[in-house]
């Protein structure tokens, strides 16, 4: 692309001619406010509806103000981003937006993370200037994962772009017209009735509190304060790599020890680790994989620990229900083991045990409510809290997180290998499975357990791995749009892979829908930092492979019997249901 | 099961079957229409471009756009149902509820408004037991509105199944409705 010369607020600069004014301004660190505009993952996904007009700027020689997000630069352009005319226009736009906004910030969970609020503060907007008609929508709470309060919606359609373009789920669309237009599902159906997979990527990009994770904090406090209950908490691998951000810490620092202490301070009776169950998942999944390889079973095998991904193929690829592994996700396995093995060991009535999962994820909330995930006779998992909700509980309790001393998980369900840590990142489940499969198939110890070739942040990756002279082809997708491409190959009978790992969220669970919010433009950077923290955690472990976890070995010896055997099947595996496309 | 109950059930069944077959025939006709557009190999934008045309055709066949038909079209075009519904709900022209056997449209232009169409609407609503924009429970009438029909000298004006009635008073409503069973 040829370069052009422009001047923004007196700053001369050269940019490529396909840049927008917004791109150019960002390059010279001039901040133009935006609301509807959204760029994700180096512009792989862009919402370019140019409807809010907050980003208008003055271009010399043009009569009308120009939206910076959608206006291309031209050679010689002279741009002013905060002239009196620009500021006045932005202010009026804000006032109009706010005239139909509940302005109930003190009661809104998005407060502090709301672009509308920030902008309103920055601009000193008189939010009551216009008295207009107010939307009066019901707050939609049909699902376990997401709450939609369309009264707070500014119709920027960022959610629609995340859902349709990035995830290709396609639940959200502009429906209705005029004042009653909303962004929502077909036939105004509640989310619960749709093919929404509850990945929460729409929640992450919503600039207001119109889309939020459903809170289960109250229920968990009640359980903790109920003397009859034994409240067991487990933490997903990805939570430790991001929880610190809730307390103003830099991304890329694992806060495992502090998290454990914090959970004890909140009053949880036993602080365990989903990582333990991640090791268990690998033993089951790698054994299933080896079984399929050896006995001519269905290949490729797809991983199944992401509930959003599971729901995606149940709706969209009903003809492929036999391809994914039948393994439950780790936190569900954890629940099943806690309410059987551990309950027996501790002589606790499983009916009194409340299992709480702290997850980077909103989909796990929905997953926990799936009726079939109750093979112990009790629902495997009782409540799921997101990383953000844990942050809230800690703040509510006045815990000074930064100064907490490090604590250790309780045993036996708190010990884990490095293979479990990397479940948090895209490629990690695949790598952990390879660590075990390679040693079991070859009967030899690996010299190095690092499978660098499956790591990375790109949405779609492939690798060849040699195991005992056998070529194993693996593919990894994060983001459901990428997953769809792999699935279409499988459907067409053109897939040459043996193992496919899929995570619904870009980068894997470290950027899940329940993680601390980050500016979408910085997500790639934060993703890399969180991933580094996870790989460091893995590298620091004495035991790096799941099947070498001594507590897992003990669990099989004392209780489960054979891996992928009868008891394991009953407690740790599940089946899939074909669901409607809507 | 025997006796009268059985006979009624059989009748009910035949009715359902004929309805089903007539719906199937309409779907087949719609599919043939879609086929004739030659969409094979077109990308999403290309398929999107014919969506409105197909919806028009479907409404022509069914009289309205039932959810099942919208889902069928979305599957045929490989577009998300939400997108199809987005278009359907955007245009006034598309109906997402079935119409009654007779459609009563009131002119809501200025002249009719000034000359008392409001009172006429109230009377029709009361007698049919339904509201503007909706269909009566017995499926007999759907009440809708029109912009000025250009018959201002006759205001207030209403149309039933396209037939125009002028200078309508609330007292005449009963007689007009009686013409339509
Ligand atoms: S949670 Fe995911 S699937 Fe559901 S509406 Fe949001 S982006 Fe779409
Ligand atoms: S729900 Fe949020 S992201 Fe979606 S259109 Fe409304 S304000 Fe924008
Ligand atoms: S990738 Fe992880 S965080 Fe995202 S939906 Fe799947 S399990 Fe949840
Ligand atoms: S951010 Fe540019 S028009 Fe909304």
């Amino acid at each position: 692309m040829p370069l052009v010369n422009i001047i923004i607020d007196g700053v001369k600069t050269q940019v490529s001619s396909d840049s927008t004014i917004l791109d150019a301004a960002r390059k010279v660190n001039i901040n133009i406010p935006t609301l509807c505009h959204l760029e994700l993952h180096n512009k792989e996904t862009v919402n370019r509806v140019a409807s809010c007009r907050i980003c208008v700027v003055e271009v010399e020689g043009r009569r009308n103000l120009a939206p910076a997000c959608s206006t291309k630069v031209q050679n010689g352009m002279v741009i002013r981003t905060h002239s009196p005319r620009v500021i006045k226009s932005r202010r009026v736009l804000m006032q109009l937006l706010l005239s139909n906004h509940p302005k109930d910030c003190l009661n809104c969970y998005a407060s502090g993370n709301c672009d509308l609020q920030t902008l309103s503060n920055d601009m000193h907007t008189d939010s009551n200037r216009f008295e207009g008609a107010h939307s009066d929508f019901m707050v939609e709470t049909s699902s376990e994962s997401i709450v939609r309060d369309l009264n707070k919606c500014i119709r920027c359609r960022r959610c629609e772009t995340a859902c349709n373009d990035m995830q290709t789920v396609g639940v959200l669309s502009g429906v209705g017209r005029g004042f009653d237009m909303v962004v929502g599902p077909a036939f105004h159906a509640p989310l619960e009735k749709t093919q929404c997979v509850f990945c929460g990527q729409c929640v992450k990009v919503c600039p207001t509190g119109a889309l939020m994770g459903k809170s289960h904090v109250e229920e968990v406090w009640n359980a903790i304060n109920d003397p009859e209950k034994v409240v067991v908490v487990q933490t997903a691998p990805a939570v430790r790599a991001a929880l610190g951000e809730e307390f103003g810490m830099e991304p890329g620092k694992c806060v495992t020890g502090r998290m454990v202490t914090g959970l004890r301070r909140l009053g949880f009776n036993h602080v365990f680790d989903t990582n333990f169950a991640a090791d268990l998942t690998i033993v089951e999944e790698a054994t299933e994989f080896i079984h399929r390889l050896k006995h001519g079973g269905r290949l490729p095998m797809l991983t199944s620990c992401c509930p959003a991904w599971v729901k995606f193929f149940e709706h969209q690829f009903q003809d492929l229900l036999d391809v994914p592994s039948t393994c439950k996700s780790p936190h569900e396995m954890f629940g099943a083991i806690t309410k059987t093995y551990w309950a027996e060991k501790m002589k606790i009535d499983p009916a009194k045990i409340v299992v709480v999962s702290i997850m980077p994820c909103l989909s796990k909330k929905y997953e926990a409510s799936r009726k079939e995930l109750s093979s112990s006779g009790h629902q495997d998992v009782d409540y799921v809290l997101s990383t953000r909700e844990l942050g809230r509980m800690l703040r509510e309790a006045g815990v000074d997180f930064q100064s907490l001393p490090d604590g250790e998980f309780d045993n036996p369900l708190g010990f884990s290998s490095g293979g479990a840590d990397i479940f948090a990142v895209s490629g990690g489940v695949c790598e952990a499975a390879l660590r075990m499969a390679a040693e079991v198939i070859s009967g030899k110890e690996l010299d190095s357990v690092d499978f660098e070739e499956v790591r990375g942040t790109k949405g779609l990756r492939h690798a060849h791995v040699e195991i005992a002279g056998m070529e194993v082809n693996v593919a990894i997708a994060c983001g459901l749009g990428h997953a769809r491409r792999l699935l279409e190959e499988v459907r067409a009978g053109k897939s040459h892979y043996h193992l496919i790992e899929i995570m619904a969220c870009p980068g894997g669970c470290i950027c899940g829908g329940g993680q601390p919010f980050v500016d979408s433009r910085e997500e790639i950077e934060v993703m890399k930092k969180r991933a580094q923290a996870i790989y460091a955690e893995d590298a620091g472990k004495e035991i790096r492979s799941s099947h070498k976890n001594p507590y897992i070995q003990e669990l099989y010896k004392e209780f489960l019997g054979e891996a992928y055997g009868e008891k394991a099947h009953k407690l740790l595996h599940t089946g899939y249901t074909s669901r409607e496309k809507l | 099961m025997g006796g009268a109950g059985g006979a009624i059930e059989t009748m009910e069944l035949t009715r359902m079957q004929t309805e089903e077959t007539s719906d199937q025939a309409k779907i087949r006709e719609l599919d043939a229409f879609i086929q004739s557009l030659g969409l094979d190999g077109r990308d999403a934008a290309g398929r999107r471009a014919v969506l409105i045309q197909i919806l028009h055709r479907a409404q022509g066949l069914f009289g309205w756009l039932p959810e099942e038909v919208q889902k069928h079209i979305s599957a045929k075009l490989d577009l998300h149902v939400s997108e199809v519904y987005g278009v359907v709900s955007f245009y006034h022209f598309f109906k997402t509820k079935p119409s009654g056997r007779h459609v009563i449209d009131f002119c809501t232009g200025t002249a009719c408004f000034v000359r008392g169409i409001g009172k006429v609407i109230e009377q029709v609503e009361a007698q049919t037991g339904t509201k503007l924009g909706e269909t009566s429970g017995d499926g007999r009438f759907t009440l809708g509105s029109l912009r000025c029909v250009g018959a201002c000298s006759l205001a207030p004006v209403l149309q039933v199944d396209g037939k125009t009635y002028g200078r309508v008073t609330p007292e005449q409503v009963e007689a007009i409705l009686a013409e339509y069973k």
Side-chain angles (χ1 to χ4, degrees):
Chain A
M1 277 289 160
L3 294 177
V4 296
N5 294 301
I6 58 168
I7 301 175
I8 310 181
D9 293 345
V11 180
K12 287 190 188 151
T13 182
Q14 258 194 348
V15 292
S16 90
S17 62
D18 63 346
S19 315
T20 60
I21 294 177
L22 183 66
D23 296 329
R26 283 177 177 171
K27 200 180 142 226
V28 292
N29 298 318
I30 287 173
N31 182 30
I32 299 175
T34 55
L35 277 177
C36 66
H37 189 72
L38 170 75
E39 281 172 16
L40 281 169
H41 315 125
N42 300 327
K43 298 203 178 184
E44 207 179 291
T45 305
V46 181
N47 188 43
R48 213 188 280 285
V49 291
S51 60
C52 76
R53 303 274 144 171
I54 279 297
C55 65
V56 285
V57 294
E58 207 164 337
V59 177
E60 221 173 77
R62 288 201 192 180
R63 202 146 51 93
N64 296 330
L65 296 179
C69 68
S70 59
T71 308
K72 290 265 154 72
V73 291
Q74 276 169 11
N75 201 26
M77 247 187 192
V78 179
I79 298 149
R80 296 173 71 203
T81 72
H82 55 82
S83 68
R85 203 175 144 211
V86 166
I87 296 292
K88 189 168 165 225
S89 162
R90 275 187 203 146
R91 186 163 285 140
V92 171
L93 282 166
M94 278 303 287
Q95 285 162 339
L96 284 169
L97 272 176
L98 292 170
S99 74
N100 180 24
H101 194 82
K103 288 173 289 208
D104 192 18
C105 299
L106 285 178
N107 292 312
C108 180
Y109 284 139
S111 187
N113 283 307
C114 172
D115 293 354
L116 193 67
Q117 186 187 48
T118 309
L119 200 52
S120 175
N121 286 338
D122 288 353
M123 301 201 42
H124 290 283
T125 319
D126 169 7
S127 63
N128 292 321
R129 175 158 168 217
F130 298 115
E131 243 333 300
H134 279 260
S135 300
D136 188 14
F137 297 109
M138 283 259 288
V139 179
E140 206 256 286
T141 58
S142 67
S143 78
E144 281 304 311
S145 297
I146 290 172
V147 175
R148 294 163 67 226
D149 182 351
L150 295 177
N151 300 304
K152 295 174 181 167
C153 174
I154 59 167
R155 290 148 180 88
C156 67
R157 305 178 83 154
R158 285 161 64 151
C159 53
E160 188 181 333
T161 296
C163 187
N164 297 2
D165 295 1
M166 177 167 86
Q167 299 296 55
T168 69
V169 176
V171 176
L172 301 175
S173 191
V175 296
R177 59 184 158 253
F179 190 71
D180 292 324
M181 184 272 210
V182 296
V183 180
F187 316 130
H188 289 85
L191 265 195
E192 169 72 4
K193 295 266 178 284
T194 70
Q195 60 194 349
C196 171
V197 302
F198 306 119
C199 62
Q201 294 302 312
C202 53
V203 174
K204 277 169 58 182
V205 300
C206 178
T208 72
L211 298 174
M212 281 174 298
K214 188 183 255 185
S215 168
H216 292 94
V217 168
E218 260 334 288
E219 289 86 338
V220 172
W221 276 129
N222 289 341
I224 288 176
N225 291 319
D226 183 342
E228 289 293 300
K229 301 283 186 206
V230 178
V231 188
V232 170
V233 69
Q234 55 165 328
T235 57
V239 176
R240 65 209 67 190
L243 180 62
E245 294 165 37
E246 281 288 305
F247 301 91
M249 294 166 70
E250 274 297 304
K253 198 164 165 15
C254 273
V255 291
T256 320
R258 272 181 266 201
M259 174 179 76
V260 171
T261 308
L263 289 166
R264 285 217 176 87
R265 295 253 175 113
L266 293 181
F268 288 102
N269 302 117
H270 300 269
V271 181
F272 288 138
D273 201 356
T274 313
N275 280 24
F276 171 83
D279 277 336
L280 182 59
T281 306
I282 284 303
V283 173
E284 286 299 316
E285 199 161 305
T287 310
E288 180 181 3
F289 179 55
I290 295 166
H291 187 88
R292 289 202 199 186
L293 275 177
K294 283 198 178 148
H295 298 90
R298 185 77 150 108
L299 288 173
M301 186 176 89
L302 304 172
T303 58
S304 58
C305 36
C306 168
W309 146 236
V310 166
K311 194 163 185 279
F312 182 75
F313 70 68
E314 287 183 324
H315 286 281
Q316 315 238 5
F317 292 88
Q318 296 120 325
D319 48 327
L320 300 180
L321 297 188
D322 62 332
V323 190
S325 155
T326 55
C327 286
K328 287 182 185 176
S329 72
H331 85 124
E332 293 292 336
M333 286 199 183
F334 177 95
I337 290 297
T338 302
K339 291 187 180 179
T340 54
Y341 170 69
W342 186 76
E344 271 172 35
K345 223 176 158 76
M346 302 291 288
K347 305 199 171 53
I348 302 174
D349 174 5
K352 291 193 171 155
I353 300 177
V354 177
V355 173
V356 178
S357 308
I358 314 288
M359 297 280 128
C361 182
L362 297 181
S363 196
K364 304 256 181 201
K365 287 174 179 277
Y366 138 81
E367 182 191 30
S369 72
R370 287 181 68 135
K371 288 282 167 287
E372 75 277 15
L373 297 177
S374 54
S375 44
S376 67
H378 306 271
Q379 205 64 27
D380 290 344
V381 170
D382 298 279
Y383 302 111
V384 174
L385 300 180
S386 65
T387 311
R388 295 193 293 271
E389 283 172 284
L390 175 58
R392 229 177 74 214
M393 276 183 92
L394 289 163
R395 284 193 294 272
E396 211 175 307
V399 174
D400 179 4
F401 190 78
Q402 297 234 30
S403 72
L404 286 177
D406 283 344
E408 296 270 345
F409 286 111
D410 293 317
N411 280 330
L413 310 185
F415 188 88
S416 63
S417 78
D421 284 304
I422 56 178
F423 265 62
V425 290
S426 165
V429 176
C430 179
E431 180 168 346
L434 289 173
R435 285 180 189 179
M436 173 172 164
E439 294 199 345
V440 172
I441 292 176
S442 68
K444 283 200 286 257
E445 294 237 336
L446 286 167
D447 295 333
S448 160
V449 296
D450 293 314
F451 289 82
E452 297 281 350
E453 56 272 52
V454 303
R455 300 183 184 178
T457 49
K458 266 183 49 198
L460 200 53
R461 311 193 297 279
H462 322 264
H464 308 282
V465 183
E466 277 251 331
I467 297 181
M470 186 169 58
E471 175 114 324
V472 177
N473 296 320
V474 299
I476 292 136
C478 53
L480 291 170
H482 297 121
R484 178 185 289 283
R485 306 222 317 249
L486 291 176
L487 265 279
E488 265 155 14
E489 277 177 25
V490 176
R491 180 178 267 167
K494 287 190 190 141
S495 183
H496 65 284
Y497 300 110
H498 298 97
L499 182 63
I500 296 180
E501 179 205 290
I502 292 174
M503 296 290 156
C505 298
C509 304
I510 43 170
C511 290
Q515 291 284 62
F517 289 118
V518 264
D519 186 322
S520 41
R521 273 183 289 153
E522 281 156 27
E523 187 170 79
I524 287 264
E525 277 317 302
V526 173
M527 184 191 292
K528 286 182 183 153
K529 287 184 185 157
R530 288 176 183 166
Q532 271 165 14
I534 289 291
Y535 284 118
E537 196 90 345
D538 164 34
K541 286 272 173 80
E542 216 171 292
I543 297 174
R544 306 274 307 276
S545 301
S546 301
H547 59 297
K548 294 188 176 154
N549 178 337
Y551 291 95
I552 293 284
Q553 292 169 348
E554 195 176 289
L555 169 65
Y556 279 102
K557 214 180 302 142
E558 285 181 10
F559 182 72
L560 284 172
E562 226 186 317
Y564 201 54
E566 200 188 315
K567 197 161 188 181
H569 257 283
K570 178 169 177 283
L571 289 176
L572 310 178
H573 290 255
T574 185
Y576 307 114
T577 314
S578 136
R579 295 174 198 271
E580 202 201 356
K581 273 183 155 193
L582 176 63
Chain B
M1 200 178 293
I8 289 171
E9 249 174 35
T10 325
M11 264 171 60
E12 185 66 7
L13 207 69
T14 340
R15 197 181 61 81
M16 275 168 49
Q17 273 166 352
T18 33
E19 260 178 26
E20 218 177 83
T21 32
S22 80
D23 271 3
Q24 278 167 354
K26 288 173 190 167
I27 286 282
R28 265 202 306 281
E29 201 175 330
L30 184 63
D31 286 352
F33 175 70
I34 297 173
Q35 184 86 43
S36 75
L37 297 171
L39 299 178
D40 285 350
R42 281 213 213 173
D43 63 358
R47 288 177 272 123
R48 212 165 270 144
V50 292
L51 176 58
I52 292 190
Q53 203 183 341
I54 293 171
L55 290 169
H56 263 277
R57 184 59 176 246
Q59 183 156 303
L61 286 165
F62 289 88
W64 62 297
L65 292 169
E67 290 185 4
E68 290 311 318
V69 172
Q70 294 183 50
K71 286 183 200 165
H72 180 80
I73 292 172
S74 90
K76 279 268 159 192
L77 294 186
D78 196 15
L79 297 174
H80 296 302
V81 193
S82 59
E83 187 179 347
V84 173
Y85 180 71
V87 171
V88 169
S89 61
F90 183 79
Y91 292 100
H92 271 287
F93 173 81
F94 293 125
K95 298 201 177 94
T96 53
K97 284 183 208 143
S99 293
R101 289 194 296 285
H102 307 288
V103 180
I104 308 179
D105 286 316
F106 304 95
C107 175
T108 53
T110 318
C112 290
F113 183 74
V114 172
R115 311 266 290 266
I117 192 76
K119 288 261 180 289
V120 177
I121 295 177
E122 274 171 28
Q123 192 53 235
V124 175
E125 285 182 336
Q127 293 199 16
T128 57
T130 187
K131 284 211 153 49
L132 199 59
E134 290 172 14
T135 298
S136 59
D138 58 4
R140 192 168 150 212
F141 292 110
T142 296
L143 312 191
S145 56
L146 291 169
R147 290 291 155 80
C148 182
V149 293
C152 300
S153 61
L154 295 177
V157 164
L158 64 78
Q159 289 184 339
V160 186
D161 296 343
K163 180 175 168 195
T164 304
Y165 294 80
R167 301 210 177 90
V168 183
T169 63
E171 293 71 36
Q172 293 168 358
V173 164
E174 195 175 349
I176 296 176
L177 295 183
E179 292 177 37
Y180 299 91
K181 293 295 168 200

